[in-house]
């Protein structure tokens, strides 16, 4: 498989399952309705696990423009290949959001709150404060990327289980730092589904909160860059 297609498929799987668990928890009438943040955090961790082990051998499983930028800053990935990876990740995020909407379309139709419908697709702050929200995204992404860069490949491969440390990392970030902004940590996880929210014919939807949309994008890229620099000098 072509590495770019691998990034597309891996990111699509990640967003399908990750946004899918959010839909299951907050949309009206689902079997997982109101099951809470712990379920969402665990679901996102498993989404990362599936995405990473599915395409790690094909593309390296960046699945996140912030990770791609960090690896390039750290000298572990060619800058010339970064635009293609990022484009594939963004398209994959859009595809995953589309599939999630198709699966949960009836529940979107039965949910009255437009804010809830938006929250299935993308993150938003619990308390809107630009400085604090940006700091939350920067620090969460810093933890994610610094830990990923610090992971040493095992001498004996465990196959799919090699993706488990990254999944546990995302779970830890979710339950510890996810209460402020929803820990986007990736434009492909936040901006790409937000675009789909704007495009799709969702019954009773609101605007896509574009005035906040730059925070998870800039925050994740800045946090990833700082992590790459810190890791390089550590």
């Amino acid at each position: 498989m072509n590495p770019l297609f691998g990034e597309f498929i891996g990111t699509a799987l990640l967003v399908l399952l990750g946004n899918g668990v959010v839909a299951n928890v907050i949309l009206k009438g689902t079997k997982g309705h109101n099951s809470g943040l712990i379920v969402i955090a665990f679901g996102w961790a498993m989404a990362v696990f599936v995405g990473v082990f599915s395409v790690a051998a094909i593309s390296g499983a960046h699945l996140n423009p912030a990770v791609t930028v960090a690896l390039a800053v750290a000298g572990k990935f060619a800058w010339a290949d970064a635009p293609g990876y990022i484009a594939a990740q963004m398209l994959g995020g859009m595809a995953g959001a589309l599939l999630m909407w198709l699966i949960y379309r009836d529940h979107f139709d039965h949910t009255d709150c437009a804010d809830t419908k938006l929250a299935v697709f993308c993150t938003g702050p619990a308390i809107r404060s630009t400085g604090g929200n940006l700091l939350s995204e920067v620090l969460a992404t810093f933890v994610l990327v610094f830990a990923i860069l610090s992971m040493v490949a095992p001498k004996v491969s465990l196959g799919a289980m090699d993706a488990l440390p990254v999944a546990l990392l995302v779970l830890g970030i979710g339950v510890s730092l996810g209460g402020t902004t929803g820990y986007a940590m990736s434009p492909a996880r936040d901006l790409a589904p937000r675009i789909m929210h704007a495009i799709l014919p969702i019954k009773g939807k609101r605007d896509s909160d574009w005035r906040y949309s730059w925070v998870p994008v800039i925050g994740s890229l800045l946090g990833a860059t700082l992590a790459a620099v810190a890791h390089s000098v550590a």
Side-chain angles (χ1 to χ4, degrees):
M1 187 185 295
N2 181 285
L4 297 183
F5 190 60
E7 285 295 295
F8 172 84
I9 291 294
T11 310
L13 289 172
L14 186 152
V15 171
L16 169 61
L17 298 178
N19 284 24
V21 72
V22 178
N24 191 21
V25 170
I26 70 175
L27 290 180
K28 187 176 179 180
T30 65
K31 292 184 179 294
H33 187 59
N34 282 337
S35 49
L37 176 63
I38 302 302
V39 172
I40 290 175
F42 187 80
W44 267 107
M46 293 300 97
V48 170
F49 180 77
V50 171
V52 170
F53 83 66
S54 294
V55 301
I58 300 165
S59 66
H62 298 189
L63 313 186
N64 182 345
V67 171
T68 298
V69 168
L71 290 172
V73 170
K76 299 178 182 295
F77 187 71
W79 277 109
D81 294 332
Y85 263 55
I86 292 172
Q89 293 155 4
M90 292 298 292
L91 291 172
M94 294 172 70
L98 171 61
L99 293 173
M100 176 278 300
W101 174 71
L102 290 173
I103 292 171
Y104 281 99
R105 186 170 182 176
D106 290 340
H107 294 278
F108 275 100
D109 289 346
H110 282 81
T111 298
D112 298 323
C113 180
D115 291 339
T116 296
K117 296 178 183 183
L118 175 63
V120 174
F121 285 87
C122 53
T123 63
I127 298 175
R128 195 169 291 262
S129 169
T130 300
N133 301 154
L134 183 63
L135 180 62
S136 292
E137 287 296 331
V138 169
L139 290 179
T141 312
F142 182 95
V143 173
L144 173 73
V145 172
F146 190 87
I148 288 175
L149 292 173
S150 300
M151 290 178 183
V152 178
K155 293 181 179 180
V156 178
S157 176
L158 299 177
M161 295 304 291
D162 286 342
L164 184 60
V166 182
L168 292 175
L169 170 62
V170 172
L171 176 60
I173 293 172
V175 296
S176 297
L177 304 178
T180 56
T181 62
Y183 67 117
M185 303 188 296
S186 167
R189 174 269 177 271
D190 191 90
L191 180 58
R194 194 184 299 268
I195 292 171
M196 293 308 297
H197 175 270
I199 293 173
L200 290 170
I202 303 167
K203 179 181 176 182
K205 72 176 179 181
R206 52 159 289 180
D207 68 276
S208 300
D209 198 9
W210 294 111
R211 66 191 181 97
Y212 177 77
S213 64
W214 66 273
V215 173
V217 174
I218 299 300
S220 62
L221 294 175
L222 180 57
T225 300
L226 292 173
V229 172
H231 188 269
S232 296
V233 300

